[in-house]
Amino acid sequence: YKSKQSRNAVNIYRTEMEMAYLRRITVEQRLRQALSREELFMVYQPQLDEHEQIVGMEALVRWHDEELGFVSPAEFVEVAEHSGLMLALGRFVLDTSLKEYALLKRSSGISLDLGINISVIQFEQPDFVSNVLKALDTWQIPPEELVLEVTETLVMHNFDQVVETVKRLQQEGIRLSMDDFGTGYSSLSLLRKLPIDELKIDKSFVDSMLEDERAANTIQSIIYIARSHHMHVVVEGVEMGAQASALVKMGCKRFQGYYFSRPERLERIQEMLDSKALCPPESEPTTA
Ligand code: C2E
Ligand code: MG
Ligand code: MG
Ligand code: MG
């Protein structure tokens, strides 16, 4: 009886593993196709200052597949990183974001900070810096307007090379932001070794800050650390007015979240900038 039960448990486990494996394979195949057919697109989430003016935006990649439907970037970026597709995906993201931002600049006359997420796979390419510079030059975007968002997984790679790349980017005037800050292991020692310009406080702290004093204290500590290291802070995942006002009291000066605006296609961002009004927070598009 006992052995029969454990045999069943093994079967269920194996089935789940097989399903996860199949899903990965399918996502990889479809993504490879989507990349070659340019079926992905970008959306942009506004970043606001304490006066609720749009001062920046983060570029986020989107993919709607005919068969799979909407696939989260959290899922397909990970698949791309493990299947040799990340460089093609990263190139698409960099080029499309800069091109669309150039259009926005031309039609609205406004300059923003443009945040682009960079995978560690891109970051460790020897020609990464020169590729970024080339793309900036192609679309005539000043390097000072670009903010590259990286995560703490950078430390698990060739650290000397990472430091070298960070320094070269900064010499060119390109800024670096540590995304999802506070969720990795080595946050504090990392700050000592890496000249980072900005910390992005992870959504998970914001989610619980109103109920959990420790989460609120963590946010406050990160703000102090940033200040003493001459870094800027962006809070992401602000969904409620009560969070925003508590964050303002803590000294936050830059906000991103559904409470202000969801990620939107470039045309909607353009409208927001023209009318100086934010989008009602419900309408993120999932198809191209
Ligand atoms: P991230 O860089 O930390 O991006 C922030 C994520 O939080 C985005 O999810 C955004 O839509 C979501 N978000 C922002 N405000 C709120 C809010 O108030 N509430 C909630 N519930 N969510 C909010 P998204 O677009 O699904 O991206 C997930 C992750 O996938 C990103 O996390 C980033 O790590 C990765 N990613 C997305 N686009 C790209 C890209 O173009 N390149 C790379 N390398 N990674 C990307
Ligand atoms: Mg990001
Ligand atoms: Mg983040
Ligand atoms: Mg994240």
Side-chain angles (χ1 to χ4, degrees), residues 17-275:
M17 267 178 53
E18 282 165 1
M19 276 164 61
Y21 178 71
L22 273 180
R23 167 80 186 180
R24 268 188 102 81
I25 297 287
T26 315
V27 167
E28 183 186 325
Q29 279 171 351
R30 308 282 310 176
L31 180 63
R32 181 167 283 125
Q33 227 172 55
L35 277 167
S36 65
R37 295 179 186 164
E38 302 232 336
E39 286 171 356
L40 296 104
F41 61 100
M42 302 305 298
V43 290
Y44 303 89
Q45 187 174 32
Q47 292 180 347
L48 299 96
D49 66 11
E50 70 269 43
H51 313 294
E52 298 202 7
Q53 295 295 306
I54 299 176
V55 289
M57 60 184 190
E58 177 177 8
L60 296 158
V61 67
R62 292 291 178 264
W63 175 31
H64 186 274
D65 181 74
E66 269 177 23
E67 236 175 67
L68 302 170
F70 177 78
V71 186
S72 155
E75 179 179 5
F76 70 77
V77 166
E78 218 251 325
V79 169
E81 286 180 329
H82 290 94
S83 58
L85 293 173
M86 192 59 231
L87 291 181
L89 176 58
R91 223 170 289 131
F92 170 82
V93 165
L94 186 70
D95 201 53
T96 309
S97 308
L98 289 176
K99 173 174 70 190
E100 295 199 324
Y101 175 54
L103 284 172
L104 187 78
K105 273 178 77 102
R106 188 147 23 111
S107 55
S108 69
I110 287 173
S111 290
L112 300 170
D113 290 338
L114 174 68
I116 298 183
N117 293 287
I118 300 293
S119 160
V120 64
I121 308 254
Q122 295 169 269
F123 207 85
E124 65 185 8
Q125 296 300 307
D127 57 357
F128 174 67
V129 179
S130 64
N131 284 340
V132 172
L133 291 174
K134 244 180 267 165
L136 285 169
D137 189 61
T138 301
W139 303 109
Q140 291 292 293
I141 305 293
E144 292 75 18
E145 290 170 20
L146 182 61
V147 181
L148 300 181
E149 298 193 7
V150 295
T151 63
E152 290 161 289
T153 54
L154 274 191
V155 284
M156 301 194 281
H157 292 248
N158 184 345
F159 197 72
D160 293 340
Q161 194 196 328
V162 166
V163 173
E164 194 52 42
T165 305
V166 168
K167 286 185 178 152
R168 280 176 60 210
L169 288 167
Q170 281 182 330
Q171 277 162 13
E172 301 289 346
I174 297 167
R175 282 168 293 163
L176 258 107
S177 177
M178 188 57 71
D179 208 344
D180 306 335
F181 187 74
T183 58
Y185 320 86
S186 49
S187 320
L188 289 178
S189 63
L190 193 65
L191 294 183
R192 213 158 34 82
K193 293 179 204 141
L194 267 193
I196 292 281
D197 301 277
E198 178 184 281
L199 301 180
K200 274 191 107 165
I201 298 181
D202 193 62
K203 178 181 180 302
S204 57
F205 299 110
V206 181
D207 282 343
S208 48
M209 65 174 285
L210 296 179
E211 297 84 41
D212 180 0
E213 205 184 347
R214 282 172 307 174
N217 289 342
T218 305
I219 294 177
Q220 186 68 78
S221 311
I222 294 175
I223 293 169
Y224 290 148
I225 290 167
R227 229 176 253 158
S228 63
H229 288 70
H230 308 287
M231 291 180 292
H232 296 282
V233 167
V234 179
V235 247
E236 63 182 349
V238 181
E239 291 183 345
M240 293 184 279
Q243 293 166 340
S245 37
L247 288 163
V248 168
K249 283 198 194 115
M250 289 180 178
C252 279
K253 299 207 180 317
R254 225 180 236 224
F255 308 86
Q256 189 182 332
Y258 292 179
Y259 174 66
F260 301 103
S261 171
R262 294 211 172 219
E264 298 282 352
R265 293 299 293 259
L266 189 78
E267 299 76 42
R268 295 290 292 125
I269 301 285
Q270 178 80 61
E271 286 168 20
M272 283 188 241
L273 290 170
D274 291 346
S275 67

